[in-house]
């Protein structure tokens, strides 16, 4: 499929989405988010894909929602149109793992998009921020909710109330980022991690994603019960038989994703 604002590529079992609005530093408009939603749906439906990576450019993952698009919005425009955010749920509801590979600016909606992914790999050039307060608005796609869960209240308040950007090292130290890598290796290292994930049993990968996300959305007891049920369910998979047989036979497992 031909896209206007993104590029997509299949690299073996990994689907790569590259945000491609360079003149606007990948500012997020409805067209771009519609296309991200469509690409995610395609990769999700593709049995040959086990993991998805979303990246931007060297200068910007995404510099936020498109300010020129929003500047004259009335309340009713924002409310009824549900602009930009209407497609964001697709990032959240995608059942295959999605990794954000962030170089340069991830600001406002860009930081929120990265946080909606299952984990963030950051180039050493990455800068995360929620500068909406400088525009007379507040984060509207999860910044005030996901940031405290990721890095705690103190730093989330600092970022949202002062608009201070944090660099990759601070983001990793604070728990926002899974790995920091040299900028010129960002996409390759993220794709390599995604390929590792995609080599494992897809149903197990999906179960793990569901279980870890439960940790944020339920009590510990509920989460533990959910994990236990999924753990039991894994014994219904051919991949469990193959994985354990391969260990006993001292050979590499050949998962069939079933
Ligand atoms: N929207 C539109 N255009 C943008 C955006 C943006 N968010 N960010 C950058 N651009 C454009 C600039 O206007 C400029 O365009 P032009 O060349 O035509 O003048 C071009 O990209 C390059 O930008 P700069 O010249 O400013 O580049 P610098 O390297 O000097 O600065 C910065 C880079 C620091 C990233 C700077 O561009 C900046 O501060 N950008 C705005 C960051 C921001 O405030 N982001 C938050 C936006 S609001 C938001 O995300 C709310 C999300 C809530 C979602 C729910 C909505 C309902």
């Amino acid at each position: 499929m031909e896209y206007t604002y993104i590029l997509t590529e299949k690299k073996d079992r990994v689907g790569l989405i590259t945000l491609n609005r360079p003149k606007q530093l990948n500012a997020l408009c409805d067209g771009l988010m519609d296309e991200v939603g469509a690409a995610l749906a395609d990769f999700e439906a593709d049995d040959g894909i086990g993991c998805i990576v979303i990246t931007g450019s060297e200068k910007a993952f995404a510099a936020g929602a498109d300010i020129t698009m929003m500047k004259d919005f009335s309340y009713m425009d924002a409310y009824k149109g549900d602009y930009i955010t209407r497609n964001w749920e697709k990032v959240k509801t995608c059942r295959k793992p999605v990794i954000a590979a962030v170089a340069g600016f991830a600001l406002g909606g860009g930081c929120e998009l990265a946080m909606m992914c299952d984990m963030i790999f950051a180039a050493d050039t990455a800068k995360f921020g929620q500068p909406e307060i400088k525009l007379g608005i507040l984060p509207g796609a999860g910044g005030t909710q996901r940031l405290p869960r990721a890095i705690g209240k103190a730093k989330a308040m600092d970022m949202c109330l002062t608009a201070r950007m944090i660099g990759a090292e601070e983001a990793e130290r604070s728990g926002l980022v899974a790995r920091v890598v040299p900028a010129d290796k960002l996409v390759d290292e993220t794709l390599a991690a995604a390929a590792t994930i995609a080599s494992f049993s897809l149903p197990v990968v999906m179960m793990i994603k569901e279980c870890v996300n439960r940790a944020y959305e339920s009590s510990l007891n509920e989460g533990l019960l959910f994990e236990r049920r999924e753990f039991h369910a894994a014994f219904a998979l051919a991949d469990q038989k193959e994985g354990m047989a391969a260990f006993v036979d001292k050979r590499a497992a050949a998962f069939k994703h079933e």
Side-chain angles (χ1 to χ4, degrees), residues 147-186:
L147 207 49
R149 283 169 169 80
I151 67 174
K153 179 180 168 186
K155 272 191 190 287
M157 284 287 191
D158 184 5
M159 287 175 68
C160 293
L161 289 175
T162 71
R164 181 173 78 87
M165 287 190 230
I166 62 170
E169 296 299 334
E170 185 175 356
E172 188 190 31
R173 219 169 44 237
S174 311
L176 182 61
V177 154
R179 299 186 199 178
V180 179
V181 296
D184 60 344
K185 299 202 168 61
L186 174 70

Side-chain angles (χ1 to χ4, degrees), residues 127-146:
K127 290 191 187 68
F128 299 87
Q130 298 288 164
E132 287 90 340
I133 197 164
K134 294 204 292 192
L135 300 168
I137 57 167
L138 59 147
T144 65
Q145 302 303 303
R146 288 198 175 91

